[in-house]
Amino acid sequence: MNKKWAVKRITLNLGLIESKKLERYCAITGRPATDVIRELIRSLPITHPEAFEHSSPMKGNSIAHIHKPVTMG
């Protein structure tokens, strides 16, 4: 099944501890880092939904990546 997404790409810079924690979590759960990060963002509480209507776009073109790739075996 091929999903088509409307995508906003971002750069995510992680410290070594954060990167290792994400890598370990992904290895344990068998989930890709992108899915884990999306789920965490979706779980953020939003107190003012209208904030989405007035938000300004992020500056520049960015690509979501982790400096040390997570490999699944």
Side-chain angles (χ1 to χ4, degrees), residues 10-24 26 31-37 63-72:
I10 63 168
T11 297
L12 177 63
N13 296 315
L14 299 175
L16 183 60
I17 292 171
E18 295 162 335
S19 177
K20 292 287 185 186
K21 188 171 187 177
L22 179 60
E23 184 177 339
R24 182 171 168 87
C26 291
R31 299 174 60 203
T34 301
D35 289 352
V36 172
I37 293 166
I63 298 173
H65 68 280
I66 299 171
H67 292 288
K68 183 176 180 188
V70 176
T71 55
M72 304 290 173

Side-chain angles (χ1 to χ4, degrees), residues 1-3 5-6 13 15 19 30-31 34-35 37 42 50-51 56-57 61 64 72-73:
M1 181 171 148
N2 190 4
K3 292 182 186 178
W5 294 83
N13 296 315
S19 177
R31 299 174 60 203
T34 301
D35 289 352
I37 293 166
R42 288 181 191 127
E50 65 276 4
S56 60
N61 292 330
M72 304 290 173

Side-chain angles (χ1 to χ4, degrees), residues 28-54:
I28 290 168
T29 62
R31 299 174 60 203
T34 301
D35 289 352
V36 172
I37 293 166
R38 276 194 199 111
E39 183 179 316
L40 290 170
I41 291 170
R42 288 181 191 127
S43 72
L44 294 173
I46 301 295
T47 55
H48 300 287
E50 65 276 4
F52 287 117
E53 298 170 13
H54 303 292

